């Protein structure tokens, strides 16, 4: 084989090698381009996930009142934001760093899921406790209302019993009399005033000694009395009386008569009589003198 043929063969071999190298280089370049584009897309998706996770940590902190747990969530949020910043600084061509941050993202996702489950459980527990607390409040309110109702009913019953046990004075008859014991026709002739009334039968009233107080009010509402010291207690204050009478009450009907001796000037007009016993006014009547 002459030198020219050898040279041609060598040139052909070199051309084939050069073509293969060029093809491999173009193929690798195309492959690297595709990988870079793929990493760029994946990097963008990872950035979105990191950003979403950081926002979710903020939302979780709003849902809880536990300071310790809120601090842990804040720490995880800051870590997520730091990893997000690292990812943003990484070039799409840095496959190793992107893979590292991808693994970190997987860890962040798992930790976030753990907190979501924990907080959801706490919220359900709080909701149940709130419901139970409301039920207890409702039962307490109902019991309080029932006690209040029973107290009012008891008070009303006691008032009715007390009212039923009070003495009652009826058939009040007032007779102004002259010095001969006859009915006086004129006020100037009145020497004595007779007041007669009936204490009605009452089986619920307490029996025994009773003190009756009779007040005679003149037309100007002044009370006839023999002494300023003649007072008794009525509705937490002391008031004057005209006549005091002691009786033995047996629960049966009885008639009582009292007298007022006239020693003062009496004007003509309308007079009123009030009868009291056991701290209660048990009857009243009126009469006129001309």
């Amino acid at each position: 084989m002459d030198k020219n043929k050898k040279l041609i063969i060598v040139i052909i071999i070199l051309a084939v090698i050069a073509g293969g190298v060029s093809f491999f280089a173009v193929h690798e370049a195309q492959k690297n381009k595709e990988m870079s584009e793929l990493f760029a897309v994946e990097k963008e998706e990872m950035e979105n996930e990191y950003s979403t996770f950081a926002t979710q940590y903020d939302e979780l902190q709003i849902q809880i009142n536990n300071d310790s747990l809120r601090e842990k969530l804040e720490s995880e949020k800051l870590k997520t934001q730091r990893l997000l910043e690292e990812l943003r600084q990484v070039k799409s061509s840095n496959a190793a760093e992107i893979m590292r941050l991808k693994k970190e993202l997987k860890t962040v996702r798992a930790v976030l899921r753990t907190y979501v489950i924990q907080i959801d459980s706490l919220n359900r527990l709080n909701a149940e406790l709130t419901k139970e607390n409301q039920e207890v409040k409702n039962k307490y309110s109902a019991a309080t209302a029932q006690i209040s109702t029973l107290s009012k009913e008891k008070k009303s019953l006691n008032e009715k019993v007390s009212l039923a046990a009070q003495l009652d004075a009826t058939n009040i008859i007032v007779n102004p009399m002259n010095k001969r014991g006859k009915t006086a026709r004129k006020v100037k002739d009145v020497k004595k005033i007779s007041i007669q009334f009936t204490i009605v039968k009452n089986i619920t009233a307490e029996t025994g000694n009773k003190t009756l107080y009779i007040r005679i009010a003149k037309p100007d509402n002044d009370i006839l009395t023999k002494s300023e010291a003649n007072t008794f207690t009525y509705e937490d204050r002391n008031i004057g009386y005209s006549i005091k009478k002691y009786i033995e009450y047996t629960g049966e009907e009885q008639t009582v008569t009292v007298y007022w001796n006239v020693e003062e000037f009496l004007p003509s007009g309308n007079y009123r009589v009030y009868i009291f016993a056991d701290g209660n006014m048990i009857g009243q009547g009126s009469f006129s003198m001309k």
Side-chain angles (χ1 to χ4, degrees), residues 166-179:
Q166 289 182 15
L167 299 183
D168 186 20
T170 62
N171 300 324
I172 301 172
I173 300 173
V174 180
N175 184 29
M177 297 183 296
N178 57 28
K179 61 182 179 180

Side-chain angles (χ1 to χ4, degrees), residues 68-83:
S68 176
L69 184 56
R70 187 182 285 113
E71 289 178 3
K72 292 179 180 178
L73 291 172
E74 180 66 18
S75 175
E76 291 297 332
K77 183 189 77 171
L78 294 176
K79 177 181 177 182
T80 302
Q81 290 175 334
R82 177 176 56 77
L83 292 172

Side-chain angles (χ1 to χ4, degrees), residues 160-273:
K160 290 178 181 178
V161 170
S162 297
L163 187 62
Q166 289 182 15
L167 299 183
D168 186 20
T170 62
N171 300 324
I172 301 172
I173 300 173
V174 180
N175 184 29
M177 297 183 296
N178 57 28
K179 61 182 179 180
R180 294 188 299 273
K182 304 294 183 179
T183 300
R185 297 182 180 276
K186 296 180 180 181
V187 67
K188 66 181 182 67
D189 297 326
V190 177
K191 300 300 181 182
K192 183 178 293 187
I193 298 174
S194 167
I195 303 172
Q196 180 178 292
F197 52 90
T198 300
I199 303 295
V200 300
K201 179 179 180 179
N202 189 339
I203 61 174
T204 62
E206 184 179 353
T207 59
N209 294 324
K210 300 287 183 182
T211 302
L212 306 181
Y213 296 95
I214 297 87
R215 283 162 56 92
I216 304 172
K218 296 189 295 184
D220 61 1
N221 289 323
D222 280 347
I223 303 299
L224 293 175
T225 182
K226 298 301 184 184
S227 170
E228 294 295 330
N230 292 346
T231 62
F232 68 101
T233 302
Y234 177 67
E235 294 185 348
D236 298 324
R237 62 192 182 96
N238 291 329
I239 60 175
Y241 65 83
S242 305
I243 306 167
K244 180 165 66 173
K245 175 72 172 180
Y246 298 104
I247 66 169
E248 176 72 22
Y249 184 67
T250 62
E252 298 296 325
E253 181 180 297
Q254 69 182 91
T255 299
V256 178
T257 303
V258 296
Y259 298 95
W260 172 261
N261 294 318
V262 178
E263 298 172 344
E264 60 280 294
F265 169 77
L266 296 181
S268 61
N270 294 320
Y271 289 72
R272 297 197 63 83
V273 175

Side-chain angles (χ1 to χ4, degrees), residues 11-32:
I11 292 171
I12 291 172
I13 293 172
L14 290 175
V16 170
I17 292 172
V21 171
S22 297
F23 175 79
F24 180 76
V26 171
H27 179 72
E28 285 298 315
Q30 181 66 29
K31 183 178 179 182
N32 289 337

Side-chain angles (χ1 to χ4, degrees), residues 3 32 46-48 75-76 102 107 118 225-226 236:
K3 292 182 178 180
N32 289 337
M46 289 168 58
E47 287 180 5
N48 290 336
S75 175
E76 291 297 332
K102 188 174 183 179
T107 302
Q118 181 180 352
T225 182
K226 298 301 184 184
D236 298 324

Side-chain angles (χ1 to χ4, degrees), residues 31-47 86-101:
K31 183 178 179 182
N32 289 337
K33 180 181 179 182
E34 291 176 354
M35 289 297 293
S36 180
E37 291 176 351
L38 179 63
F39 280 134
V41 172
E42 189 169 16
K43 179 174 177 289
E44 184 178 355
E45 291 178 351
M46 289 168 58
E47 287 180 5
E86 290 181 15
L87 180 61
R88 285 173 176 168
Q89 300 299 322
V90 172
K91 294 182 178 180
S92 301
S93 58
N94 193 339
E97 191 64 11
I98 289 177
M99 292 303 296
R100 181 185 72 81
L101 292 171

Side-chain angles (χ1 to χ4, degrees), residues 60-73 113-132:
L60 289 176
Q61 290 183 69
I62 297 174
Q63 299 178 26
I64 60 173
N65 295 320
N66 187 302
D67 291 337
S68 176
L69 184 56
R70 187 182 285 113
E71 289 178 3
K72 292 179 180 178
L73 291 172
R113 184 173 182 275
T114 300
Y115 280 117
V116 168
I117 294 173
Q118 181 180 352
I119 292 173
D120 182 63
S121 177
L122 287 174
N123 287 340
R124 284 201 306 271
L125 179 60
N126 287 335
E128 292 175 0
L129 291 175
T130 300
K131 182 180 179 181
E132 291 178 1

